[in-house]
Amino acid sequence: MAETPHAETPLDRPAHAAEDWTVSQDWDRYSAADHAMWDRLFERQARMLPGRVVPEFMAGLDILRMDQPGIPRFDALSDRLMQATGWQVVAVPGLVPDRLFFDHLANRRFPAGRFIRTPSQEDYLEEPDVFHDVFGHVPLLANPVFADYMQAYGQGGLRADGLGAIEKLARLYWYTVEFGLIDTDEGLRLYGAGIVSSNAESHFALEDTSPNRLGFDLQRLMRTRYKIDDFQQSYFVIDSFDQLLRQTVETDFAPLYAALAQQSDLDTDTILPGDRVFTRGTQAYAHKKMQEEPK
Ligand code: HBI
Ligand code: FE
């Protein structure tokens, strides 16, 4: 888990940011401690992810040559990504307004935070830092199908804004791009950036008996609330990136949003009779948390 997904209050554009909220990465201003933090996080995840993450993610690290020490330079990443799939990485100060975020994605630009977490934030932080954004999100942008899905999501976001449906569409991002699991011939694998950039959630999402793991269904998923400040109670499992892309480009979202407006939202731990259940979670983790700190 890593970030506040949906800005509730309007954000103010920092004075140093351009109209589209981009800033220069200022790579030379990272300290040795900043680079050491990246290296520590990188090594821990690069060690634990093989066999847990979708193979396309490891391929992306390789294509983008992300195993070099230190915080990557966004311009070097962009050169390689541009060749692979036509994407770029641009630096932003933190969360950007929804419309701008969608507009960047629709134009194949990924807005990445440039700051890195401090040691006290090592396992939890609210805003997306460079490790979450670059290690978590960028490798799969080297995959042509996933790259097209991210652009389609941005285009869908711009349309959803006009239909007053950003909240519903944001759930799609949350349960796929951030916290998605995928069913492969070798078993379930991780691909969501919020999971793969978190050591603890990588174990939890794949191996813990607590959370539900449910088959992906677009309408059902968009009814489901989510937690931004703790491990998820349910993860959704896609069959393939092709399925994700096809559903997103072939679905007419306007009637879907109209249908959703007539349906109640679902709690984060609900299992419906029609769900394809990979794991029926015990919810032991969430229940224990609730006793310790009732919400
Ligand atoms: N801004 N930098 C940044 N990163 C995000 O992931 C992000 C954002 N602004 C809005 C946003 N996400 C979400 O509200 C949308 O996915 C819905
Ligand atoms: Fe993210």
Side-chain angles (χ1 to χ4, degrees):
M1 90 220 91
E3 65 201 71
T4 311
H6 189 75
E8 299 292 338
T9 44
L11 303 165
D12 286 323
R13 175 158 61 96
H16 61 285
E19 202 92 350
D20 67 358
W21 284 61
T22 58
V23 293
S24 147
Q25 187 190 6
D26 284 341
W27 189 87
D28 294 322
R29 290 176 53 177
Y30 291 122
S31 67
D34 291 339
H35 289 299
M37 172 59 83
W38 170 281
D39 290 345
R40 189 159 70 244
L41 295 166
F42 185 96
E43 271 155 37
R44 187 167 62 160
Q45 287 314 86
R47 201 165 346 106
M48 76 95 67
L49 285 176
R52 291 192 170 93
V53 76
V54 71
E56 288 84 345
F57 180 93
M58 299 307 296
L61 288 181
D62 202 45
I63 292 166
L64 301 173
R65 283 180 254 155
M66 285 178 64
D67 62 344
Q68 321 268 325
I71 298 170
R73 292 179 187 264
F74 291 2
D75 50 5
L77 284 178
S78 293
D79 286 346
R80 291 173 195 141
L81 259 186
M82 185 58 83
Q83 283 202 9
T85 56
W87 273 76
Q88 288 171 267
V89 181
V90 295
V92 291
L95 285 175
V96 305
D98 290 341
R99 253 202 100 76
L100 263 159
F101 183 69
F102 297 140
D103 191 64
H104 280 298
L105 298 183
N107 289 287
R108 294 173 98 86
R109 289 188 301 266
F110 188 77
R114 63 176 170 177
F115 75 99
I116 191 150
R117 65 196 70 181
T118 60
S120 69
Q121 299 169 311
E122 190 153 324
D123 289 306
Y124 179 76
L125 77 169
E126 287 273 318
E127 283 215 63
D129 76 337
V130 64
F131 187 74
H132 169 80
D133 276 339
V134 171
F135 181 86
H137 286 283
V138 171
L140 283 180
L141 292 174
N143 177 268
V145 180
F146 195 83
D148 284 354
Y149 170 65
M150 287 289 277
Q151 179 178 26
Y153 179 83
Q155 293 165 333
L158 294 171
R159 290 192 296 268
D161 192 19
L163 297 165
I166 286 187
E167 198 193 354
K168 298 284 192 289
L169 188 73
R171 293 171 176 169
L172 175 60
Y173 194 85
W174 189 260
Y175 282 121
T176 62
V177 178
E178 295 294 355
F179 293 97
L181 302 182
I182 185 167
D183 190 21
T184 75
D185 292 341
E186 281 74 47
L188 296 190
R189 292 290 183 269
L190 312 170
Y191 74 90
I195 304 177
V196 303
S197 61
S198 159
N199 193 263
E201 192 146 359
S202 291
H203 285 291
F204 183 83
L206 202 59
E207 289 141 37
D208 208 279
T209 54
S210 189
N212 302 324
R213 299 179 184 87
L214 307 174
F216 175 86
D217 175 281
L218 190 55
Q219 181 164 350
R220 192 263 186 246
L221 178 157
M222 290 204 296
R223 292 176 64 191
T224 313
R225 296 190 195 96
Y226 56 74
K227 299 210 162 177
I228 61 165
D229 59 355
D230 207 338
F231 297 151
Q232 304 303 303
Q233 285 184 266
S234 297
Y235 297 91
F236 287 93
V237 181
I238 60 170
D239 296 328
S240 65
F241 292 145
D242 268 312
Q243 173 201 32
L244 199 53
L245 175 63
R246 264 187 293 110
Q247 291 233 1
T248 308
V249 296
E250 288 170 8
T251 298
D252 190 354
F253 279 74
L256 184 52
Y257 294 142
L260 284 164
Q262 306 301 316
Q263 291 185 305
S264 56
D265 281 347
L266 299 172
D267 283 331
T268 54
D269 61 347
T270 299
I271 296 183
L272 295 178
D275 285 335
R276 190 154 55 100
V277 180
F278 287 81
T279 312
R280 185 175 294 271
T282 62
Q283 300 300 339
Y285 172 83
H287 294 158
K288 181 156 174 283
K289 260 299 184 51
M290 196 73 83
Q291 280 170 0
E292 286 165 7
E293 35 178 305
K295 287 196 183 144

